[in-house]
Amino acid sequence: MWSKSKLNELNAKGIMLSFSFQATRSVLAEVGATAKIGEILTARGCQRMAFVTDKMTRNTVDQARAENVDYVASVGGGSAHDMAQLVVTLRKVPWQSV
């Protein structure tokens, strides 16, 4: 455990000391899963969704903001899920892993 003075020193340097993150709400992994996404997200009240893959770029977050997405779904492996988490964290929308 760090002392209060050490925490103040780190904070003064702009070092992030804490954060919160919403973990995956659900995972759907099966053949044909992408065909079910529309139905599942419509039932959850989603109106504008972004599909994220591992081929996304830095502009992905800006596009999600511009399109005012209210849900992010990642399709693929770990890189796609990492990118979706980044989009969600910076855009502040729910994350759906597929």
Side-chain angles (χ1 to χ4, degrees):
M1 190 75 165
W2 287 340
S3 68
K4 187 173 182 177
S5 62
K6 180 64 174 178
L7 291 174
N8 288 337
E9 174 189 335
L10 293 171
N11 190 43
K13 292 179 180 179
I15 297 173
M16 181 173 52
L17 300 175
S18 66
F19 66 92
S20 65
F21 182 80
Q22 181 181 356
T24 304
R25 296 173 96 180
S26 65
V27 174
L28 175 62
E30 64 183 58
V31 173
T34 54
K36 297 179 180 181
I37 296 300
E39 179 183 324
I40 292 168
L41 295 181
T42 298
R44 293 183 180 179
C46 173
Q47 297 197 9
R48 297 186 66 86
M49 181 187 59
F51 271 107
V52 177
T53 70
D54 61 348
K55 304 291 185 209
M56 307 313 273
T57 67
R58 186 175 177 167
N59 295 328
T60 304
V61 174
D62 292 335
Q63 186 176 1
R65 287 180 178 147
E67 296 292 329
N68 197 29
V69 298
D70 57 0
Y71 234 91
V72 175
S74 57
V75 180
S79 296
H81 302 322
D82 291 344
M83 179 56 77
Q85 289 175 348
L86 177 63
V87 171
V88 168
T89 301
L90 298 177
R91 175 64 183 95
K92 299 183 180 179
V93 297
W95 177 51
Q96 180 70 35
S97 176
V98 177

